[in-house]
Amino acid sequence: MSYPTLEKRFERMYLLRDALTVLEWDASTLMPDGGAQARADQMAVLRVMRHELVTTPDLGELLAKADGESLDEWQRANLAEMRREWVRATVVPVELVEARSQAVSECEMRWRTARKENDFAGLQPSFEEVLKLTREVGEAQATALGSTPYEALLDEWEPGARTQEIDRVFGGLEAFLPELVARVLEHQAQTPMPPQPEGPFPAAKQLELGRNVMALLGFDFHHGRIDTSAHPFCAGVPEDIRITTRWDEDDFTSGLFGVIHETGHALYERGLPVRFRKQPVGQARGSSTHESQSLLWEMQAARTPELLARIAEQARIAFGGTGPAWETEAMLARMLHVERSLIRVEADEVTYPLHVILRYRLERAMIAGELAVKDLPGAFADGMERLVGVRPANVGEGCLQDIHWPAGLWGYFPTYTLGALTAAQFFAAAIEAVPTIPASLARGETAPLLGWLVTHVHSQGARSTASEIIENATGKKLDPEIFRRHLERRYLG
Amino acid sequence: MSYPTLEKRFERMYLLRDALTVLEWDASTLMPDGGAQARADQMAVLRVMRHELVTTPDLGELLAKADGESLDEWQRANLAEMRREWVRATVVPVELVEARSQAVSECEMRWRTARKENDFAGLQPSFEEVLKLTREVGEAQATALGSTPYEALLDEWEPGARTQEIDRVFGGLEAFLPELVARVLEHQAQTPMPPQPEGPFPAAKQLELGRNVMALLGFDFHHGRIDTSAHPFCAGVPEDIRITTRWDEDDFTSGLFGVIHETGHALYERGLPVRFRKQPVGQARGSSTHESQSLLWEMQAARTPELLARIAEQARIAFGGTGPAWETEAMLARMLHVERSLIRVEADEVTYPLHVILRYRLERAMIAGELAVKDLPGAFADGMERLVGVRPANVGEGCLQDIHWPAGLWGYFPTYTLGALTAAQFFAAAIEAVPTIPASLARGETAPLLGWLVTHVHSQGARSTASEIIENATGKKLDPEIFRRHLERRYLG
């Protein structure tokens, strides 16, 4: 039997990955600055050793042999995921991987200055180099995956994703969203914004509030922590999940909803199938599924009047808040404020998909060679004006606002919006299946909702594609109409 | 050239070691309990991969080839250290390593109960198994190292150590120490103990004080941290040193001098030769040298009236302390209190070596088969009575007080006292070489002392044995007479 040998090999690879995630977490939270180079060296050697394991010469043969062995359904899915990792690791020449890695490091560094100084011309050669090498990587992978080069890039984040499917979903969105934004803004203008609680809100109190809300959502502190970092993230392993956030002492909601977002990621990791804990099939499915779990709590559940009432209650206790600004309704109105804005990461859930659709179209065109880098700033500004209704005055608030392209994260953007739609669809399906969920949330009981997610999403690991998980869990394909109904009910109801 | 290949191999091994030390630190400070098994799995795989690197079949051949190559003095010393690691890793059969590792795990677990319940008989079979397998390990290594089995065990902590040399030093100590203890106690009885500052001393304030004193000693927070753990330790890498301690809210001096002790370890690591940072020769020499560096600060420098004045000043600032209990003289008298006591870790520097001499003789006799495990409690009690002058009433305060033997740490005890003597000898030599050191310490300037240590100890790495480092730095072999003079001046002066 080759399959057990393969499981042993992959177990070691995943243990190396697990060790790496701890080192990464430490580097982003506690590590003194002077330790950066030493840490980079440690992580590089673990990555190299992990790469060596997945490119061991006999691995292809073992995979081929295991194909003819008697395996159960999970093992077969695991074997497919093993093959996927092996193909992705071996199909791109090492020299190309290294050249791209260096180009990305340089471009990312230059981007920090270029964004600040609105200097697109200064970044352009470095950006072009990243695009060229990224395209080559996509081309090398495309043959092996039977996909287009852009799809091969997508596949890193969203295994099995196809542009035809994304076009269907994004096309559906674009058909109603710009018009819906206009209606929501009109509707919103009829009610004045409620006042905001006055700070300062000390970081220590915010941390305490964050912990209480995490516990409310079902986070198990016996198997995890929360800490502070420059950018919020979720790291660690299912038995020891580490989420981080940052605190704004003037507005506690930004940190708090960051905590809720990361808690959603953490609950997903915690619910992955234990039997395949250190195997490819036991991992989270991909970026859109992961994002669906963070957004399900941040954007769906925590923004229902029912659960927000419990969260607002915790906030009042934490800060001793009283008066109109502290009421659930006031907090909800502020959390649901919609605006045509320039910066993606600050966008509300109604306009956000339009930011993403633009980036998806542009990056696809660049990979296909249909859009030259020099034409990106204009195409970006035109697209923003047409889709979101505002025009960036410079590249800093335009096409250079995000790190993704300079950092080599091509094919990542679509997963944000796929995740948002998936979250809406899961939440609707969960309530349809368990109609008492809203009432439970109103009592601060999240177990019925979490239970549905564990059963239909978390425990599925990477056994099927994101599309199949959605279809199995909700009975239909990802459907922009469900997202539309969600927005209309919430913003026009 | 084989030598450069060897350096590459060992660099990878040391990077794995570096990653392991971060994972270990995290496990002892921040990790939630539920993460323990996952972390153990991660660390086990890194250890296995490290072991595989040092036992790669061609390593012996590479070492032999490199022996004939043109190398500078440091490279040659490095090659010798590489060979030492290779011999230690390959000479003991894997089955024996595993059997011993399991026996140790079980014995350590049983010891926790046996110590609490004074149940030696219950531990005895497990203790005997550890002894038997430890002896077998020593025997397997002895041939390759050209030493006795006990010396082979010693060698793990104290490379190149020989019992003849330890007997010389410990014999010298035993010749004067029991009588000196009696004189010190008599002298001490003539002065009443000064009052102790009254707590509670909040942990947060103690941490702040700890940081200030660390900075005073020369600790660089750009390259390190201090945190809280159940047992104080020093971990991490020279570029990112992590020390920990625990806080007693009734008595701030125990935590503070714990910080000073660990800072000594940290300064040593920080001063190791950068050129051989990831090579065997670039590491700390061994346990006694490491202990000499922690004790040099904790027991030598920080207990001089000069430096203690600066530390007491910091303590007064931290806690707003005033009055006689807060004076340097009062603090010094309390820090130099001597007592015949039962517990090694609580012993003062005058009686401490007697605890160690006893353990050294007993463990050597057990390894040599001259003392049966069943006779250990009686031999221990008799030895305590004869050497320290107090007799344990049970095994919990007798031969089971320390974790070392159940945990498989045989040959470790002597290094505590070798370290204490080395610290006294280094400190005396530094002052002889730079007579302004005490005056500098009185001004809170530790750079002259630290500079001497970096030059004569830290920067020497593992280029020579501990004995050679002492001889090169101080002009003579480790000399118990220097320790005697130190004690007489401090306690009878």
Side-chain angles (χ1 to χ4, degrees):
Chain A
M1 287 281 282
S2 298
Y3 179 80
T5 309
L6 285 165
E7 277 211 351
K8 280 219 181 76
R9 298 269 185 98
F10 278 83
E11 175 170 331
R12 192 178 263 206
M13 282 166 48
Y14 276 92
L15 284 168
L16 284 177
R17 193 274 321 257
D18 290 354
L20 273 162
T21 183
V22 180
L23 298 178
E24 225 156 13
W25 173 87
D26 181 89
S28 305
T29 49
L30 301 171
M31 189 184 74
D33 290 348
Q37 186 56 51
R39 181 61 50 84
D41 293 345
Q42 293 156 20
M43 293 181 59
V45 89
L46 293 192
R47 286 202 192 97
V48 166
M49 292 183 89
R50 191 174 192 281
H51 186 77
E52 285 171 359
L53 285 171
V54 79
T55 55
T56 315
D58 65 346
L59 202 66
E61 204 182 314
L62 285 168
L63 288 165
K65 272 196 202 154
D67 215 27
E69 292 169 356
S70 162
L71 303 174
D72 71 21
E73 197 199 334
W74 274 93
Q75 290 169 327
R76 193 143 304 277
N78 195 29
L79 187 62
E81 291 299 312
M82 288 172 173
R83 182 182 303 280
R84 185 176 162 267
E85 284 207 33
W86 173 70
V87 166
R88 294 196 63 87
T90 50
V91 84
V92 182
V94 177
E95 306 73 45
L96 178 53
V97 172
E98 278 169 11
R100 182 165 177 272
S101 165
Q102 278 184 20
V104 158
S105 291
E106 199 199 301
C107 190
E108 202 183 312
M109 200 187 65
R110 285 176 189 275
W111 164 77
R112 293 180 198 282
T113 317
R115 182 175 64 157
K116 223 179 295 166
E117 299 174 359
N118 291 308
D119 173 22
F120 192 79
L123 185 67
Q124 191 180 319
S126 176
F127 194 111
E128 281 167 346
E129 182 69 8
V130 168
L131 171 59
K132 174 179 159 283
L133 296 169
T134 301
R135 188 187 291 132
E136 284 177 33
V137 166
E139 283 164 355
Q141 294 169 333
T143 320
L145 295 169
S147 71
T148 67
Y150 180 71
E151 286 171 332
L153 298 170
L154 259 179
D155 181 86
E156 183 173 354
W157 321 109
E158 196 63 13
R162 288 291 180 268
T163 48
Q164 196 187 354
E165 173 66 5
I166 298 178
D167 286 341
R168 176 185 72 78
V169 174
F170 285 9
L173 276 178
E174 205 186 341
F176 69 80
L177 208 45
E179 178 265 342
L180 182 63
V181 170
R183 275 198 293 150
V184 167
L185 289 174
E186 204 174 300
H187 184 263
Q188 181 179 269
Q190 291 160 20
T191 324
M193 263 284 264
Q196 188 168 329
E198 262 183 55
F201 306 102
K205 289 262 180 212
Q206 290 194 53
L207 177 60
E208 199 187 314
L209 170 62
R211 273 185 215 278
N212 290 341
V213 170
M214 287 167 77
L216 179 70
L217 302 189
F219 187 92
D220 176 1
F221 282 96
H222 185 59
H223 288 287
R225 295 177 51 91
I226 173 170
D227 295 270
T228 305
S229 68
H231 300 282
F233 65 91
C234 172
V237 296
E239 302 84 357
D240 177 7
I241 298 270
R242 312 279 177 103
I243 77 166
T244 72
T245 195
R246 54 187 166 194
W247 315 106
D248 176 349
E249 299 222 330
D250 294 326
D251 173 12
F252 69 86
T253 58
S254 82
L256 178 59
F257 277 76
V259 167
I260 295 170
H261 181 96
E262 300 306 330
T263 302
H265 284 308
L267 293 173
Y268 182 17
E269 290 285 326
R270 182 87 193 113
L272 291 170
V274 173
R275 181 181 157 210
F276 290 94
R277 165 68 179 82
K278 289 158 204 156
Q279 297 297 320
V281 79
Q283 309 307 310
R285 173 60 290 180
S287 299
S288 78
T289 312
H290 234 309
E291 197 69 6
S292 81
Q293 296 310 294
S294 54
L295 293 177
L296 189 133
W297 294 98
E298 184 199 358
M299 288 296 178
Q300 300 290 328
R303 278 169 162 89
T304 58
E306 291 86 357
L307 186 53
L308 191 69
R310 297 285 70 78
I311 294 168
E313 186 177 45
Q314 292 290 335
R316 287 192 296 270
I317 294 170
F319 303 114
T322 52
W326 291 90
E327 294 304 317
T328 304
E329 295 67 30
M331 194 164 163
L332 190 59
R334 288 192 309 274
M335 297 309 298
L336 298 180
H337 183 69
V338 175
E339 198 180 338
R340 297 187 199 275
S341 65
L342 288 164
I343 305 301
R344 177 186 59 84
V345 296
E346 294 166 5
D348 54 83
E349 67 172 329
V350 186
T351 56
Y352 198 109
L354 299 167
H355 293 258
V356 166
I357 290 170
L358 171 62
R359 285 157 176 78
Y360 165 66
R361 301 243 164 95
L362 294 175
E363 68 179 9
R364 212 176 133 186
M366 284 190 279
I367 293 294
E370 293 159 6
L371 174 66
V373 171
K374 71 168 172 41
D375 298 327
L376 175 62
F380 191 96
D382 292 348
M384 278 297 289
E385 194 163 3
R386 186 174 59 79
L387 283 165
V388 185
V390 284
R391 188 179 183 90
N394 55 53
V395 290
E397 58 181 30
C399 67
L400 292 191
Q401 68 181 264
D402 294 308
I403 196 175
H404 298 58
W405 292 328
L409 305 172
W410 295 67
Y412 193 98
F413 280 124
T415 68
Y416 291 119
T417 287
L418 295 174
L421 268 63
T422 306
Q425 191 155 330
F426 282 155
F427 194 55
I431 291 174
E432 205 180 309
V434 189
T436 54
I437 282 177
S440 306
L441 293 178
R443 290 192 302 272
E445 291 165 21
T446 55
L449 174 56
L450 182 55
W452 188 92
L453 292 169
V454 169
T455 304
H456 293 91
V457 185
H458 306 182
S459 66
Q460 301 306 306
R463 195 170 64 146
S464 42
T465 65
S467 298
E468 287 161 351
I469 291 174
I470 295 169
E471 219 170 324
N472 291 338
T474 70
K476 53 192 131 186
K477 276 180 175 296
L478 187 61
D479 183 0
E481 278 307 304
I482 297 175
F483 190 63
R484 175 194 196 143
R485 283 202 293 274
H486 156 67
L487 295 181
E488 287 182 344
R489 199 162 37 235
R490 181 173 276 179
Y491 294 93
L492 299 171
Chain B
M1 286 282 282
S2 300
Y3 179 80
T5 309
L6 285 166
E7 278 212 349
K8 281 221 180 75
R9 299 270 184 100
F10 277 84
E11 176 169 330
R12 192 178 265 208
M13 283 167 46
Y14 276 91
L15 283 169
L16 284 178
R17 194 274 320 257
D18 290 354
L20 272 163
T21 183
V22 181
L23 297 178
E24 225 156 13
W25 173 88
D26 181 89
S28 305
T29 49
L30 301 171
M31 189 183 73
D33 290 348
Q37 187 55 54
R39 181 62 50 84
D41 292 345
Q42 293 155 20
M43 294 181 59
V45 89
L46 293 192
R47 286 201 191 99
V48 165
M49 294 183 89
R50 190 173 194 281
H51 186 77
E52 285 170 2
L53 286 170
V54 78
T55 54
T56 314
D58 65 345
L59 202 66
E61 203 183 313
L62 285 167
L63 288 165
K65 271 197 202 152
D67 215 27
E69 290 169 359
S70 162
L71 304 174
D72 70 23
E73 196 198 334
W74 273 92
Q75 291 169 326
R76 194 146 299 281
N78 195 28
L79 186 62
E81 291 299 313
M82 288 171 173
R83 182 182 303 281
R84 185 177 161 267
E85 285 206 33
W86 173 71
V87 167
R88 293 197 64 87
T90 50
V91 84
V92 183
V94 177
E95 305 74 44
L96 177 54
V97 171
E98 278 170 11
R100 184 167 176 272
S101 164
Q102 279 184 21
V104 157
S105 292
E106 198 200 302
C107 190
E108 202 183 312
M109 200 187 65
R110 285 176 189 274
W111 165 76
R112 293 182 198 282
T113 316
R115 181 175 65 157
K116 224 179 294 166
E117 299 174 359
N118 289 309
D119 173 22
F120 192 78
L123 185 67
Q124 192 180 319
S126 176
F127 193 111
E128 281 167 347
E129 183 69 8
V130 168
L131 170 58
K132 174 180 158 282
L133 296 169
T134 300
R135 187 188 291 132
E136 283 177 32
V137 166
E139 283 163 356
Q141 294 170 334
T143 321
L145 295 169
S147 71
T148 67
Y150 180 70
E151 285 170 334
L153 297 170
L154 260 179
D155 181 86
E156 182 172 354
W157 320 109
E158 196 62 14
R162 288 291 181 267
T163 48
Q164 196 187 354
E165 173 66 5
I166 298 179
D167 285 342
R168 177 185 71 77
V169 174
F170 285 9
L173 275 178
E174 205 186 340
F176 70 79
L177 206 47
E179 177 265 341
L180 181 65
V181 169
R183 275 199 293 150
V184 167
L185 289 173
E186 205 174 300
H187 184 263
Q188 181 178 269
Q190 292 159 18
T191 326
M193 262 284 265
Q196 188 168 328
E198 262 184 54
F201 306 101
K205 288 262 178 214
Q206 290 195 54
L207 177 61
E208 198 188 314
L209 170 62
R211 274 184 214 278
N212 290 341
V213 170
M214 286 166 77
L216 178 71
L217 302 190
F219 187 91
D220 176 1
F221 283 96
H222 185 60
H223 288 287
R225 297 177 49 91
I226 173 170
D227 295 270
T228 305
S229 68
H231 300 280
F233 65 91
C234 172
V237 296
E239 302 84 356
D240 177 7
I241 298 269
R242 312 277 176 105
I243 77 164
T244 72
T245 196
R246 55 187 165 195
W247 314 107
D248 176 349
E249 299 221 329
D250 294 326
D251 174 13
F252 68 86
T253 57
S254 81
L256 178 58
F257 278 76
V259 167
I260 294 170
H261 182 95
E262 300 307 329
T263 301
H265 285 307
L267 294 172
Y268 182 17
E269 290 286 325
R270 182 86 193 115
L272 291 170
V274 173
R275 181 182 157 208
F276 289 93
R277 165 68 179 83
K278 289 158 204 154
Q279 297 297 320
V281 79
Q283 310 307 309
R285 172 61 290 182
S287 300
S288 78
T289 313
H290 234 308
E291 196 69 7
S292 81
Q293 296 310 294
S294 53
L295 293 176
L296 189 132
W297 295 98
E298 182 199 359
M299 288 294 178
Q300 299 291 325
R303 279 171 162 88
T304 58
E306 291 86 356
L307 186 53
L308 191 70
R310 297 284 70 75
I311 294 168
E313 185 177 47
Q314 292 291 335
R316 286 192 296 271
I317 294 169
F319 304 112
T322 51
W326 291 90
E327 294 304 317
T328 304
E329 294 69 27
M331 193 165 164
L332 190 59
R334 287 192 310 273
M335 298 307 300
L336 298 180
H337 183 69
V338 176
E339 197 180 341
R340 298 188 200 274
S341 66
L342 288 165
I343 305 300
R344 177 185 60 85
V345 295
E346 293 166 5
D348 54 83
E349 68 172 329
V350 187
T351 57
Y352 198 109
L354 299 168
H355 292 258
V356 166
I357 291 171
L358 172 62
R359 285 158 176 78
Y360 164 66
R361 301 241 164 97
L362 294 175
E363 69 179 9
R364 211 174 135 187
M366 284 189 280
I367 292 293
E370 293 159 4
L371 173 66
V373 171
K374 72 170 171 42
D375 298 327
L376 175 62
F380 191 96
D382 292 347
M384 278 298 289
E385 195 163 3
R386 186 174 59 78
L387 283 164
V388 185
V390 284
R391 187 177 183 91
N394 54 55
V395 290
E397 59 181 30
C399 66
L400 293 191
Q401 68 180 263
D402 294 309
I403 196 175
H404 299 58
W405 292 328
L409 306 171
W410 296 68
Y412 193 98
F413 280 124
T415 68
Y416 291 120
T417 288
L418 295 173
L421 268 64
T422 306
Q425 190 155 331
F426 282 155
F427 194 56
I431 291 175
E432 204 180 310
V434 189
T436 54
I437 281 177
S440 306
L441 294 178
R443 290 191 303 272
E445 291 164 22
T446 55
L449 174 55
L450 182 56
W452 188 92
L453 292 170
V454 169
T455 304
H456 294 89
V457 185
H458 305 181
S459 66
Q460 300 305 305
R463 195 170 64 146
S464 42
T465 65
S467 298
E468 287 162 353
I469 291 173
I470 295 169
E471 219 169 324
N472 291 338
T474 70
K476 54 192 131 188
K477 277 179 174 297
L478 186 60
D479 182 1
E481 280 305 305
I482 296 175
F483 190 63
R484 176 193 196 141
R485 284 202 292 276
H486 155 67
L487 295 181
E488 287 182 344
R489 197 162 41 234
R490 181 173 276 179
Y491 293 93
L492 300 170

